[in-house]
Amino acid sequence: MSDPDTESYSTSPAWSDVTPLPTNPGGPNPLAAIAYAPAYEEAMSYLRALMAANEHSTRALELTEDVIEQNPAHYTVWLYRASVLFGIDADLRAELEWVSDVARAHQKNYQIWNHRMMIVEKLGSPEGEREFVEEMFALDGKNYHVWSYRQWLVRRFGLWGERERGFVEGMVERDVRNNSAWNYRWFLVNGRESEGVPGVKDEGVKREEVEYAASAVAKAPQNPSPWNYLRGVVRASGGGLGELKGLASEYADLTRPGGVRSSHALDLLADILADEDKNKAGEALDALASTYDPIRKNYWEYRKGLLGLPAASVA
Amino acid sequence: MSPKADDALDNLLMEKAKIVELSDSEEGGPPFPGSHLKRDVHPLPPWLTSPALNLFPEEYATASSDAFKKVRNECLPHLLGEDNQNLPLNKYGLPHLRREQHINFLHSTLGNLPAPYVALDAARPWLFYWGFSGLTVLGEDVMQYRQRLIETVRPMQNLQGGYGGGHGQFSHCAASYACVLSLAMVNGLEEVNRNTMWHWLGKIKQPNGGFRMAENAEMDIRGAYCAFIMITVLNLPLELPPSSPARHAGLKTFDDGLGEYIRSLQTYEGGIGATPGDEAHGAYAFLAMGCLSMIDAPNKIIPKYIDTSALLRWMACQQTQPEGGYAGRTNKLVDSCYSQWIGGTWALLQAAFGAGEQESSENVWNKQALVRYLLTCAQQPGKKGGMRDKPSAKPDGYHTTYALAGLSAAMNHYHYDTEAPTRSESGRLTSGFNWSGKSPTPEKMEKLGVEESDLVGYVHPVYVMPFKVVENFSTKFEKGGFGKE
Ligand SMILES: [Zn+2]
């Protein structure tokens, strides 16, 4: 309602033809019963009545807005709102603006992203969407639903160009440990294999990705994101992890004191050595278990077991 | 007592705890500041000793590393036993499991809730499920809620099939899942209209093999897990109803195309995302693995669709140093709910390795570290009880239940019987029913640092509820079909 303080649905002439459907609370003593505010309780009873009649109208839109403002996690109201919007041919640009406001006020809410997807699909244009998504990332650079939505935008509208690459490089630049951004980079590079765009199976693309990740490792060697990325790149390219031996050795040199600057490099080196020299691989795994990553001691010993090597005798 | 007054009491107790500790350490005249005496009695595990705490000092700070530092600082005093929050300690120097307080807390989540809980108005079935599941892990009988639950969920069931989050709400996978499992826990499954449920599930099965959460709602792996819970608990026909949109794509059964869909969720990191392309995330690892484990024996079906050694590596890496709990994604923060999402996935992954390796890989992850995180950092001190994401968070039903389930994954051992049948005579998928649990030996308890009174019950690795309940519904509706409905 435009002014809920002074007006209620029951006294408004615009709603006099609707018989509200009160909540069935579920017996005399329902579990986890919420003491609804009267305004919410009333709005919901009118909403149930409209939904029962499947009414598509401007007032239905206003009512859903009222309920969503009180409870943005109400998936039913979002789904009903979408059907009303399309049913009355509402202004979808205005809808997007309103949804943006809801998103800003309720960052964790995820219903809005499916809603937004339906609206933008109907509009058939991604105009302004990437800018809005970036505004949301300024608040939380790891919001799972927002990243998923961004992937949908790119797939749906074929936005695979330079702008996306620049965007995700900016995100990694801002926080090299933002794993969501790394995952998104993977998607941009490899997300079109089914359309015949090769991704890291192309030698040049692979080299570029390895170089990019290596430069991120140089900034913060103990950051797992680029290490995971490197493993992924080499594996997906059809190559062997041995291609990364130089890099891994650079950050995991067991032969000199202070030579291990990253447990992830040592982990990778252990995998590489497993194909070359099992005992050396065992030494790397021992070093991880005893010194560089003791919380995962059991895992490193399990890996030794897979190589047919006994666990280290000293705890 | 009002929540505010309760908080005040918590603060008071915490202040008191600090005073006690201060006088403790001064009395003995220790050569170093801090509570070194306690450390001598209970040596710290290797990952909490100073060499491990000072590995790889990061010079290059970003928002993520700042957040790690903050969480580490709030957890370390509890992990090291410097601040026990006035909780009584067991003989290993860890806080006891606060059974009574957690039980009271979970009961309170099922009671009357004030107006701000309107945010949960579409998620109340979750509260029933979390409450019941958590209470039963702690050994409480929930049959006292039987009649109330049955009456509460009755208006949530829709004529066209399925349950919504409340009266007049659209049917939704999560709500249906939570209502069906809650009903199962109080032996009330007769309330469910199996026939309409089957038809409704047909509407949300998609041509690509996956499931939507509701008609026109988002599609991700949650939908598939919830659907297979309903199909196996209620013994619904595996054939798609004639009206299912997935039939237009040539699919004939609920599991058609699903394995391939799940395969497409595994990422380059080895973990599993919500939808193809999404980042690997602990909750989706559990849901994907749980879903597959309902369709066939884990040792048969999981290796077919999942690169298990890549998943294993990813899961092992999510245990955070030095906190010892799990983070949900690479470079995210420790959070007690992932004790279930990742801790609970271990049993499924180990079963995927087959009969012999199932046992030999039993100790691949650090159970002691998880138990220590949960007992020292995740338990809410003070009168309130309940468990929380991390010390700076407030307890809630979700974290209480999944932290307890994680404790169960660490303490108990679950075994899949690879010889057991995976189909019943009526065609029901029965692989989810072939699990058994084993309590820890005294040696294992000592290693974990827990006493008898700290132990929690079994949590079924697929259905996340008591084994007894699973046993009950596994023989219910045995004929299949929709006879009298
Ligand atoms: Zn959590």
Side-chain angles (χ1 to χ4, degrees):
Chain A
M1 303 234 72
S2 46
D3 192 355
D5 291 335
T6 54
E7 220 178 343
S8 74
Y9 294 97
S10 60
T11 57
S12 161
W15 293 87
S16 59
D17 60 315
V18 179
T19 308
L21 281 177
T23 315
N24 179 344
N29 204 1
L31 288 175
I34 299 166
Y36 299 117
Y40 181 79
E41 172 98 73
E42 192 194 34
M44 279 307 297
S45 66
Y46 277 80
L47 186 77
R48 265 188 292 270
L50 292 202
M51 281 174 53
N54 201 20
E55 178 175 314
H56 290 171
S57 62
T58 316
R59 70 176 179 183
L61 216 53
E62 285 165 8
L63 179 54
T64 58
E65 180 174 336
D66 184 16
V67 174
I68 286 170
E69 273 166 9
Q70 297 181 67
N71 178 15
H74 207 313
Y75 65 86
T76 300
V77 187
W78 283 105
L79 292 170
Y80 175 55
R81 183 177 175 88
S83 72
V84 174
L85 282 166
F86 301 145
I88 63 170
D89 231 347
D91 177 354
L92 297 182
R93 284 273 155 214
E95 177 68 5
L96 279 187
E97 269 174 44
W98 177 74
V99 173
S100 299
D101 286 339
V102 179
R104 289 182 191 106
H106 305 277
Q107 282 177 54
K108 296 266 172 195
N109 179 280
Y110 66 84
Q111 277 84 11
I112 65 151
W113 297 102
N114 182 60
H115 186 73
R116 202 169 183 106
M117 208 181 276
M118 285 196 270
I119 307 293
V120 171
E121 174 68 54
K122 200 82 167 181
L123 277 169
S125 156
E127 195 196 321
E129 286 310 282
R130 289 194 282 186
E131 290 75 8
F132 176 66
V133 160
E134 282 154 35
E135 185 190 330
M136 293 304 288
F137 281 141
L139 302 170
D140 174 7
K142 300 182 180 180
N143 188 319
Y144 203 81
H145 303 287
V146 184
W147 281 106
S148 202
Y149 178 66
R150 181 98 181 191
Q151 287 196 11
W152 175 79
L153 280 176
V154 168
R155 279 199 194 100
R156 170 65 183 78
F157 298 103
L159 311 173
W160 301 92
E162 278 309 304
R163 160 105 165 68
E164 277 316 278
R165 186 60 75 91
F167 152 72
V168 77
E169 283 180 5
M171 291 299 288
V172 172
E173 185 70 29
R174 197 194 304 169
D175 183 351
V176 74
R177 298 179 181 87
N178 185 343
N179 197 62
S180 307
W182 282 95
N183 184 74
Y184 189 76
R185 184 179 176 97
W186 178 275
F187 160 75
L188 285 183
V189 172
N190 298 293
R192 279 183 293 170
E193 284 203 329
S194 59
E195 300 163 33
V197 182
V200 296
K201 287 199 174 69
D202 176 272
E203 194 57 37
V205 172
K206 172 174 142 186
R207 204 174 317 118
E208 200 181 327
E209 293 312 296
V210 168
E211 271 168 29
Y212 180 78
S215 70
V217 164
K219 278 188 184 171
Q222 186 54 15
N223 172 16
S225 293
W227 289 109
N228 287 351
Y229 193 81
L230 284 163
R231 279 176 179 267
V233 166
V234 171
R235 282 185 50 150
S237 75
L241 290 178
E243 294 173 26
L244 297 169
K245 191 175 181 185
L247 188 71
S249 312
E250 190 184 336
Y251 293 93
D253 182 353
L254 282 169
T255 61
R256 58 180 181 84
V260 177
R261 289 185 284 157
S262 166
S263 67
H264 311 300
L266 192 52
D267 172 12
L268 177 59
L269 189 64
D271 268 336
I272 293 165
L273 291 172
D275 294 329
E276 300 176 1
D277 182 340
K278 282 195 176 158
N279 289 320
K280 272 197 167 169
E283 282 167 26
L285 292 168
D286 282 343
L288 281 161
S290 66
T291 309
Y292 298 105
D293 193 26
I295 198 164
R296 265 166 282 280
K297 176 170 175 275
N298 291 352
Y299 171 64
W300 305 123
E301 287 184 347
Y302 170 81
R303 287 254 297 262
K304 273 187 86 177
L306 293 181
L307 297 177
L309 298 169
S313 51
V314 199
Chain B
M1 199 184 282
S2 78
K4 268 227 171 91
D6 205 24
D7 279 350
L9 185 70
D10 283 354
N11 291 338
L12 199 71
L13 287 170
M14 268 165 14
E15 281 307 312
K16 211 175 151 205
K18 276 183 203 150
I19 293 162
V20 169
E21 218 176 313
L22 209 71
S23 57
D24 247 12
S25 52
E26 275 164 4
E27 207 177 310
F32 307 109
S35 43
H36 85 294
L37 286 174
K38 273 180 219 151
R39 288 189 200 172
D40 286 346
V41 183
H42 305 292
L44 287 167
W47 62 93
L48 288 172
T49 57
S50 66
L53 293 178
N54 295 306
L55 281 168
F56 313 118
E58 286 290 357
E59 65 284 5
Y60 186 82
T62 64
S64 292
S65 61
D66 290 346
F68 298 147
K69 208 168 281 171
K70 188 173 156 279
V71 169
R72 176 187 157 120
N73 287 341
E74 75 180 71
C75 292
L76 265 186
H78 307 317
L79 293 164
L80 297 174
E82 290 171 355
D83 174 5
N84 291 314
Q85 304 169 93
N86 213 26
L87 300 176
L89 304 183
N90 67 22
K91 65 180 179 189
Y92 304 102
L94 296 180
H96 275 295
L97 176 71
R98 311 189 73 214
R99 190 180 305 271
E100 286 308 310
Q101 289 86 346
H102 299 330
I103 287 173
N104 291 339
F105 179 83
L106 287 165
H107 280 303
S108 77
T109 64
L110 295 164
N112 292 333
L113 305 170
Y117 279 87
V118 71
L120 292 179
D121 194 31
R124 279 174 63 221
W126 277 119
L127 295 178
F128 316 148
Y129 167 72
W130 293 328
F132 289 4
S133 181
L135 283 167
T136 52
V137 186
L138 292 170
E140 280 278 284
D141 186 0
V142 295
M143 285 303 276
Q144 57 181 300
Y145 287 114
R146 186 170 191 275
Q147 199 51 35
R148 282 176 71 191
L149 178 84
I150 285 175
E151 288 177 15
T152 308
V153 301
R154 212 168 259 162
M156 298 178 180
Q157 185 165 208
N158 287 306
L159 276 177
Q160 293 80 11
Y163 286 80
H167 169 224
Q169 300 185 24
F170 292 148
S171 291
H172 192 276
C173 262
S176 300
Y177 159 86
C179 284
V180 166
L181 288 193
S182 301
L183 284 167
M185 282 190 271
V186 295
N187 196 16
L189 284 174
E190 286 76 12
E191 285 293 313
V192 184
N193 186 326
R194 297 170 52 251
N195 192 342
T196 55
M197 178 68 87
W198 178 66
H199 279 95
W200 176 70
L201 288 173
K203 289 184 204 158
I204 58 169
K205 170 82 178 177
Q206 297 301 300
N208 71 351
F211 289 78
R212 288 192 185 277
M213 291 302 282
E215 284 182 79
N216 297 319
E218 68 277 14
M219 175 168 54
D220 58 52
I221 186 59
R222 290 174 304 156
Y225 175 81
C226 292
F228 272 85
I229 289 278
M230 262 113 41
I231 290 164
T232 56
V233 171
L234 299 169
N235 193 13
L236 306 178
L238 205 53
E239 288 73 38
L240 286 167
S243 56
S244 173
R247 279 211 176 257
H248 303 311
L251 306 190
K252 292 186 175 64
T253 62
F254 279 106
D255 59 330
D256 273 353
L258 186 53
E260 285 73 20
Y261 176 76
I262 290 176
R263 175 185 285 143
S264 73
L265 303 176
Q266 190 167 26
T267 82
Y268 69 90
E269 291 194 275
I272 293 167
T275 70
D278 283 346
E279 186 183 3
H281 182 296
Y284 305 116
F286 174 78
L287 298 171
M289 295 283 280
C291 183
L292 288 173
S293 302
M294 284 185 273
I295 296 174
D296 203 347
N299 54 311
K300 285 196 195 125
I301 193 168
I302 291 174
K304 202 162 141 191
Y305 296 111
I306 298 287
D307 176 343
T308 49
S309 66
L311 177 61
L312 187 150
R313 184 178 174 281
W314 180 85
M315 284 167 60
C317 289
Q318 301 319 115
Q319 200 159 13
T320 66
Q321 162 72 23
E323 296 87 4
Y326 282 100
R329 302 181 243 163
T330 302
N331 274 334
K332 289 277 280 180
L333 303 168
V334 66
D335 174 347
S336 69
C337 63
Y338 296 107
S339 309
Q340 158 60 23
W341 299 132
I342 299 179
T345 302
W346 284 111
L348 305 174
L349 180 65
Q350 284 153 0
F353 291 141
E357 274 194 63
Q358 188 177 171
E359 316 305 324
S360 65
S361 64
E362 187 191 335
N363 290 316
V364 69
W365 58 289
N366 194 334
K367 297 172 183 172
Q368 298 104 291
L370 181 64
V371 168
R372 181 178 282 260
Y373 177 73
L374 292 172
L375 292 180
T376 62
C377 292
Q379 299 198 93
Q380 177 73 16
K383 201 169 161 281
K384 195 153 45 180
M387 297 182 81
R388 58 199 182 189
D389 157 357
K390 53 175 72 61
S392 56
K394 288 206 177 311
D396 57 45
Y398 169 80
H399 286 94
T400 303
T401 294
Y402 292 130
L404 290 170
L407 268 182
S408 180
M411 290 173 174
N412 301 306
H413 176 62
Y414 300 108
H415 176 83
Y416 183 82
D417 178 2
T418 53
E419 303 294 308
T422 54
R423 285 266 186 156
S424 77
E425 269 175 42
S426 64
R428 184 185 207 163
L429 301 172
T430 57
S431 60
F433 308 150
N434 300 334
W435 291 86
S436 58
K438 204 173 80 193
S439 305
T441 59
E443 297 77 51
K444 183 174 173 186
M445 284 167 62
E446 194 182 335
K447 218 174 164 197
L448 294 175
V450 295
E451 294 180 34
E452 198 77 36
S453 66
D454 303 319
L455 295 183
V456 296
Y458 298 147
V459 173
H460 194 283
V462 174
Y463 293 96
V464 198
M465 53 156 63
F467 273 77
K468 203 177 63 203
V469 178
V470 177
E471 220 168 277
N472 282 342
F473 65 64
S474 71
T475 53
K476 235 183 164 78
F477 315 116
E478 192 36 53
K479 285 202 197 95
F482 303 115
K484 62 181 192 305
E485 282 168 353

